[in-house]
């Protein structure tokens, strides 16, 4: 319990004790007698102890022009009860209401804690090597370039590169994946993971404020604050609902007594009516449900940036995927090398030439060619004198005085190496063509395989929300079709330039039905505009990629495509629970409202119903925190 919650609890206990004492004072005491006065003071004390802050909030909100909120309803009902002489009722309203508030605070605290527990990634200290000594300092005191020591069992406090040792890293707190990740000298390593076995020395590459841990904690904090549409629906609803309720209460207090007399009885009914009408259960349980859903997702390494995205995900009908690295592993391997015979180059010469040009590129295709060449040559690949990458086409480089081009057929056509895109259509996979001084020099086929669970994940999406699955790629038609048919993709757009992907997303967007949502799934590398354009942009494998974390609405820390149907399931469950709560709360409210209007429910029953509904709604909301595998 926090200090604030303890204080509230003490207030409730004191107030309840006063209240209990008050019940012993004879009720029938004559108006303005000493007994009457003592009774009034005792109940008033109980009332104010429990409810002074509610009264104050009501006054403050009225001053700010927000008249009709739950504080107002409680204030007016309890003050009304006091005025008509129902002192115990007035005090009881406040006490029960505060019990509900306390319960709510505890529930929110619990779900917040379960998120922060599982997000137990914040390092307390770092062991930094300075002048031959190891010092324990705060993580934010370590500077870039310094070396830190992480012993087995310790949390990695800062991002960096391993300079000594090798070990298995437990990244479960970050990615939700339990398998250890092997790291050794030269590997990049992320803060928040736990060093499972060997001693590691790490050269720090980022200040603490830019580290993975800080980014993720920031993400979690922001996401729990942003509001969902259903929440704003409740605010809107309250704006209409509350005045109607207050209006009806006034009518109930004034009209019937004009005919039947018995003013205080009808006023009492009207006040009861007001208490019942308080929408607390909704005001509390809806945000709590979203909070729980976001927490359940975070446990699996799925960071949802706001409740509104969780809401939108539950309406997802169209999923657009980037091919490389999203549906496929993104690690190409060279399958065939075909030098052009007339130039008399050997396979190895062609591979080396291409690799030298590709060295500047970070594209997975380029990396695979460089790797294959290094393995083949057993020596360093020469570095190009001058090289540039043309996104969506390939690379151009100066090597040994020759101009080398390596890239797709479109690139060759653009550069006038050959006229039509008509070469090697029979080879499978992706083909990188190579040209030297404008002459065709041969081609290298590389192939990529779909992720193991990609097919399963896509068919689960189909099952969950009859999703339409579309794949976008800059790769050629044939390679794209091969992957698409393996995975059961419904529609393929191939040979897209990087900006063509956004255009494709926009076209698909324009055609989709209004109520359904479009989800774009990419790796956040070249597809930030598409991630931003979609209703929900999901970036995969974002651990360590700031660009992806920035651009996406939902960030998957791991590379597991199965997290996409899982996110959809969490969204659907959260939405289901929110709707259950809204329907349940409204049904009980309407029932008790009717009973109180005809005089069958007294104010106690009303408050009890209100608190009871809130408690049940809260318990139901907390179900969102758990999710079945
Ligand atoms: P995708 O992510 O769908 O593969 P890209 O825009 O990254 O799309 O690349 C599109 C195509 O451009 C690739 O399939 C490849 O044919 C070609 N390409 C891009 N960069 C390179 C490169 N560095 N080397 C060779 N080909 C490249
Ligand atoms: Mg890509």
């Amino acid at each position: 319990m926090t200090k604030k919650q303890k204080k509230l609890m003490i207030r409730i206990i004191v107030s309840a004790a006063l209240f209990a004492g008050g019940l012993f004072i004879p009720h029938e005491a004559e108006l303005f007698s000493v007994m009457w006065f003592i009774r009034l003071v005792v109940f008033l004390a109980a009332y104010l102890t429990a409810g002074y802050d509610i009264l104050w909030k009501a006054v403050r909100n009225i001053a700010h022009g927000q008249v009709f909120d739950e504080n107002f309803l409680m204030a007016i009902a309890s003050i009304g009860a006091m005025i008509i002489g129902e002192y115990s009722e007035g005090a009881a309203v406040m006490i029960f209401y505060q019990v509900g508030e306390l319960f709510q605070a505890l529930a929110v605290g619990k779900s917040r804690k379960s998120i922060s527990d599982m997000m137990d990634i914040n390092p307390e200290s770092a062991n930094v090597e300075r002048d031959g000594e190891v010092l324990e300092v705060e993580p934010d005191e370590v500077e870039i370039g310094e070396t830190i020591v992480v012993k087995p069992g310790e949390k990695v406090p800062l991002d960096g590169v391993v300079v000594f040792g090798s070990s298995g890293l437990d990244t479960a707190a970050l990615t939700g994946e339990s398998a250890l990740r092997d790291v050794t000298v030269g590997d990049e390593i992320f803060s928040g993971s736990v060093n499972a076995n060997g001693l590691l020395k790490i050269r720090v590459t980022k200040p603490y404020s830019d580290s993975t841990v800080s980014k993720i904690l920031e993400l979690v904090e922001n996401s729990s604050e942003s509001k969902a549409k259903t929440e704003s629906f409740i605010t809107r609803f309250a704006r209409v609902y509350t005045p109607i309720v207050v209006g009806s209460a006034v009518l109930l207090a004034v009209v019937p007594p004009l005919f039947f007399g018995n003013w205080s009885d009808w006023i009492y009914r009207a006040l009861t009516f007001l208490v019942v009408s308080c929408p607390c259960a909704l005001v509390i349980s809806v945000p709590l449900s979203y909070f729980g859903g976001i927490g359940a997702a975070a446990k699996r390494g799925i960071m949802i940036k706001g409740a509104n995205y969780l809401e939108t995900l539950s309406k997802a009908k169209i999923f657009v995927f980037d091919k490389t690295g999203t549906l496929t592993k993104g690690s190409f391997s060279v399958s065939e090398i075909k030098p052009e015979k007339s130039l008399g180059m050997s396979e190895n010469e062609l591979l080396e030439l291409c690799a030298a040009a590709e060295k500047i590129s970070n594209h997975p295709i380029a990396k695979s060619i460089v790797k294959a060449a290094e393995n083949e040559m057993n020596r360093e690949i020469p570095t190009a004198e001058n090289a540039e990458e043309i996104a969506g086409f390939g690379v151009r480089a100066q090597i040994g005085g020759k101009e080398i081009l390596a890239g797709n057929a479109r690139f060759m056509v653009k550069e006038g190496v050959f006229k039509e895109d008509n070469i090697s259509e029979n080879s499978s996979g992706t083909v990188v063509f190579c040209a030297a001084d404008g002459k065709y020099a041969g081609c290298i086929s590389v192939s990529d395989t779909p992720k193991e669970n990609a097919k399963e994940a896509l068919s689960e999406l189909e099952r969950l929300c009859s999703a339409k699955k579309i794949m976008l790629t800059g790769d050629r038609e044939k390679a794209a079709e091969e992957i698409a048919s393996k995975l059961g993709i419904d529609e393929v757009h191939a040979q897209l330039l990087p900006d063509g992907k956004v255009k494709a997303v926009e076209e698909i967007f324009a055609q989709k039905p209004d109520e359904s949502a479009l989800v774009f799934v990419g790796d956040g590398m070249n597809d930030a505009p598409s991630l931003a354009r979609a209703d929900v942009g999901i970036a995969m494998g974002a651990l360590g990629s700031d660009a992806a974390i920035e651009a996406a609405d939902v960030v998957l820390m791991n590379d597991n495509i199965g997290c996409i149907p899982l996110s959809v399931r969490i969204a659907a469950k959260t939405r289901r629970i929110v709707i259950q709560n809204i329907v349940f709360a409204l049904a009980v409210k309407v029932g008790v409202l009717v009973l109180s209007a005809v005089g069958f429910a007294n104010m106690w029953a009303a408050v009890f119903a209100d608190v009871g509904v809130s408690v049940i709604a809260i318990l139901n909301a907390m179900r969102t925190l758990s999710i079945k595998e």
Side-chain angles (χ1 to χ4, degrees):
M1 236 187 254
T2 65
K3 248 195 182 135
K4 218 167 134 196
Q5 291 164 356
K6 266 194 202 126
K7 196 176 144 208
L8 181 56
M9 192 179 70
I10 292 171
R11 277 171 56 199
I12 292 174
I13 293 173
V14 170
S15 170
L18 285 168
F19 181 85
L23 291 179
F24 287 103
I25 303 171
H27 180 186
E28 297 80 22
E30 208 175 299
L31 216 55
F32 303 120
S33 67
V34 177
M35 254 333 181
W36 169 85
F37 188 70
I38 293 175
R39 189 166 178 272
L40 174 65
V41 169
V42 169
F43 278 119
L44 209 55
Y47 174 68
L48 291 176
T49 309
Y52 70 86
D53 54 338
I54 305 292
L55 297 175
W56 177 234
K57 272 187 225 159
V59 172
R60 235 186 17 207
N61 287 350
I62 292 173
H64 290 159
Q66 303 168 308
V67 179
F68 297 121
D69 65 353
E70 70 270 29
N71 296 307
F72 173 77
L73 288 176
M74 286 300 144
I76 193 170
S78 59
I79 293 174
M82 288 296 186
I83 291 174
I84 57 171
E86 300 286 352
Y87 310 134
S88 58
E89 246 89 345
V93 167
M94 278 305 178
I95 296 173
F96 274 127
Y97 183 71
Q98 293 287 36
V99 170
E101 290 285 291
L102 178 63
F103 192 88
Q104 166 199 348
L106 291 175
V108 170
K110 180 162 183 274
S111 57
R112 209 178 267 277
K113 185 163 179 311
S114 79
I115 292 182
S116 62
D117 273 0
M118 134 219 112
M119 288 271 101
D120 183 21
I121 52 175
N122 210 3
E124 290 89 48
S125 62
N127 296 313
V128 62
E129 274 187 350
R130 281 181 190 157
D131 306 325
E133 266 181 280
V134 178
L135 301 174
E136 188 177 317
V137 298
E138 300 274 322
D140 59 2
E141 286 169 22
V142 180
E143 289 181 18
I144 295 181
E146 287 194 293
T147 303
I148 53 169
V149 180
V150 185
K151 292 192 215 93
E154 281 181 354
K155 230 174 277 168
V156 176
L158 292 136
D159 295 0
V161 176
V162 179
V163 289
F164 171 85
S166 57
S167 177
L169 274 192
D170 176 358
T171 60
L174 299 175
T175 63
E177 311 238 292
S178 53
L180 293 185
R181 180 179 294 188
D182 289 326
V183 290
T184 182
V185 174
D187 285 341
E188 209 182 339
I189 178 168
F190 303 112
S191 51
S193 47
V194 175
N195 181 6
N197 27 60
L199 181 100
L200 290 174
K201 288 189 183 178
I202 296 161
R203 186 166 42 78
V204 175
T205 52
K206 278 182 191 167
Y208 179 69
S209 55
D210 281 347
S211 68
T212 304
V213 159
S214 307
K215 289 261 156 63
I216 293 181
L217 289 176
E218 206 177 299
L219 214 71
V220 170
E221 257 145 47
N222 290 341
S223 69
S224 54
E225 277 160 21
S226 77
K227 297 236 184 302
K229 281 216 203 77
T230 316
E231 280 180 68
S232 59
F233 155 77
I234 286 180
T235 321
R236 253 182 305 149
F237 166 81
R239 219 176 290 145
V240 184
Y241 170 83
T242 320
I244 291 178
V245 165
V246 174
S248 321
V250 170
L251 289 181
L252 193 63
V254 177
V255 179
L258 288 180
F259 300 101
F260 311 112
N262 208 352
W263 282 85
S264 75
D265 201 25
W266 284 102
I267 290 177
Y268 180 87
R269 285 184 198 180
L271 293 171
T272 309
F273 188 91
L274 276 184
V275 174
V276 185
S277 65
C278 175
C280 326
L282 299 181
V283 172
I284 300 160
S285 73
V286 171
L288 197 62
S289 305
Y290 282 110
F291 200 76
I294 289 174
K299 250 185 246 182
R300 307 300 196 290
I302 304 168
M303 305 293 162
I304 300 175
K305 283 198 185 165
N308 49 332
Y309 300 115
L310 198 59
E311 164 88 16
T312 312
L313 257 182
S314 66
K315 290 195 267 225
K317 281 276 175 293
I318 301 171
F319 285 78
V320 181
F321 294 90
D322 186 37
K323 177 177 75 83
T324 313
T326 303
L327 293 172
T328 66
K329 288 181 183 153
S331 57
F332 289 82
S333 56
V334 172
S335 54
E336 202 180 7
I337 304 172
K338 281 200 278 190
E340 169 69 19
K341 291 186 194 85
S342 60
L343 285 190
M345 232 190 265
S346 74
E347 283 188 12
N348 278 358
E349 278 165 344
L350 176 64
L351 182 63
E352 189 171 2
L353 201 59
C354 253
E358 293 282 21
K359 231 174 147 182
I360 54 140
S361 167
N362 266 330
H363 201 280
I365 295 178
K367 284 187 180 160
S368 72
I369 291 180
V370 174
K371 205 171 112 201
E374 277 169 353
N375 287 345
E376 208 58 49
M377 310 293 155
N378 253 328
R379 60 183 159 90
E380 274 290 297
I381 305 299
T383 307
E385 284 125 41
N386 205 339
E388 59 166 336
E389 172 155 28
I390 302 112
F393 290 95
V395 291
R396 180 207 309 275
Q398 236 69 45
I399 299 165
K402 279 187 183 161
E403 191 191 59
I404 306 298
L405 306 175
N408 51 22
R410 187 173 47 205
F411 191 34
M412 297 296 130
V413 172
K414 186 167 95 113
E415 296 295 323
V417 177
F418 45 72
K419 283 211 192 62
E420 299 259 304
D421 170 6
N422 60 356
I423 292 195
S424 276
E425 269 309 311
N426 48 355
S427 56
S428 75
T430 304
V431 184
V432 177
F433 298 93
C434 186
D437 281 338
K439 285 212 187 65
Y440 179 56
C443 65
I444 299 176
S445 298
V446 292
S447 58
D448 189 9
T449 44
K451 289 184 180 162
E452 263 108 42
N453 57 347
K455 191 180 166 118
E456 198 187 312
L458 292 184
S459 54
E460 192 180 351
L461 279 180
E462 169 104 58
R463 242 194 346 270
L464 285 173
C465 51
S466 8
K468 179 166 182 193
K469 303 167 299 288
I470 302 174
M471 184 175 93
L472 305 184
T473 179
D475 210 343
R476 65 194 190 114
E477 211 79 51
K478 185 140 186 270
E481 292 291 350
E482 270 168 26
I483 302 274
S485 66
K486 271 187 203 151
L487 295 179
I489 293 277
D490 302 313
E491 196 178 309
V492 179
H493 299 242
Q495 300 198 328
L496 297 170
L497 289 173
D499 61 347
K501 290 188 185 172
V502 206
K503 285 202 197 100
V505 169
E506 270 165 4
E507 275 161 29
I508 300 164
F509 202 91
Q511 286 163 18
K512 74 166 184 151
D514 274 347
E515 267 306 289
S516 64
L518 184 151
V519 178
F520 180 84
V521 189
D523 54 12
M525 290 305 185
N526 281 319
D527 41 23
S530 304
L531 284 171
R533 187 68 195 85
D535 291 311
V536 180
I538 304 183
M540 307 213 22
L543 186 55
S545 155
D546 295 348
I549 293 183
E550 289 282 313
D553 307 316
V554 176
V555 179
L556 304 188
M557 287 298 156
N558 53 48
D559 228 359
N560 180 358
I561 191 169
C563 283
I564 292 171
L566 181 63
S567 318
V568 171
R569 259 167 47 211
I570 292 174
K573 178 172 175 182
T574 305
R575 186 181 166 79
R576 209 160 50 233
I577 288 177
V578 166
I579 291 176
Q580 278 166 9
N581 278 348
I582 291 178
V583 171
F584 168 67
L586 288 185
V588 174
K589 297 266 132 149
V590 170
V592 183
L593 279 179
V594 172
L595 289 182
S596 69
V598 296
F600 280 126
N602 64 13
M603 206 176 282
W604 286 65
V607 184
F608 208 75
D610 186 55
V611 174
V613 172
S614 299
V615 169
I616 294 172
I618 287 170
L619 290 177
N620 193 28
M622 294 190 67
R623 291 199 299 127
T624 49
L625 263 177
S626 67
I627 184 100
K628 279 199 294 279
E629 280 310 320

